[in-house]
Amino acid sequence: MRPATRDDLRPLPLDAAPRLLGGELRTVVDGDAVRLRITEVEAYHGQGTGPVSDPGSHARMGRTARNATMWGEPGHLYVYLSHGIHSCINVVCGPEGVAGGVLLRAGEVIDGADAAARRRGAALPLTAVARRDLARGPGRFGQACGLRHPRHDGIDAVTGAEWHDATAELWLSDDPVEMASGPRVGVAGIAGTDAFPWRFWIAGDPTVSPFRWGRGAQAAQFTR
């Protein structure tokens, strides 16, 4: 394992996303440390990013107060609120000024399971299933790592600088993984079909989240 660099994350999200598999997000929030091995990711491009417009991205219509972090320096984390409840974690990728992020969809807690369980409200001691599910899905991943919107939006995972009583570090692995890819999970319309096979995961890993169609995506898939 080695710390991620800006150059690692300067490629567009679609190119950078597979590189994150098998890496780790290491956080310390309010004194509690957790290490998560990244097992599933999704790439999202912003307005004007890449050769194909991404209708599933928060930045598809341009820069806003909500998505401003996506347009910034690669290696910062875009932490947004999903359904008004869950803080979800994205690694900003691409050149500064070009919007893009890689959603950390799922992971395996390899250190700090008790802290992750407390954040998730899971009973201790953990069963095998409960441990598997600690960071299975983007909302659970965000809970387990402890980063919260809006407090930690923009935290730098390359330098590991403290930000509102938290640090985050992204580490990459040079060990190869068996990768699979397919449509993104729960994304509406054409953006959630195989027209955008921008979800990547470690094949066979039990922590990978199950696939589900987004609103109108199944119909769009079969009318293409």
Side-chain angles (χ1 to χ4, degrees), residues 9 15 25 63 95 102 120-121 153 159 192 206 219:
L9 305 172
D15 299 316
L25 182 66
R63 183 170 182 152
V102 175
R120 294 267 354 272
D153 183 32
T159 65

Side-chain angles (χ1 to χ4, degrees), residues 52-136:
V52 179
S53 177
D54 180 2
S57 171
H58 289 176
R60 64 187 179 277
M61 303 297 290
R63 183 170 182 152
T64 66
R66 181 196 192 196
N67 67 34
T69 300
M70 292 181 74
W71 302 79
E73 188 178 38
H76 292 259
L77 301 184
Y78 168 48
V79 183
Y80 74 90
L81 203 61
S82 175
H83 303 294
I85 302 172
H86 303 297
S87 294
C88 298
I89 315 300
N90 301 253
V91 179
V92 175
C93 296
E96 188 170 0
V98 177
V102 175
L103 173 65
L104 304 182
R105 269 208 62 89
E108 175 191 7
V109 179
I110 59 175
D111 192 42
D114 285 1
R118 287 195 300 271
R119 292 168 180 162
R120 294 267 354 272
L124 295 172
L126 291 167
T127 66
V129 170
R131 188 178 182 93
R132 178 202 68 187
D133 289 348
L134 276 178
R136 193 184 191 204

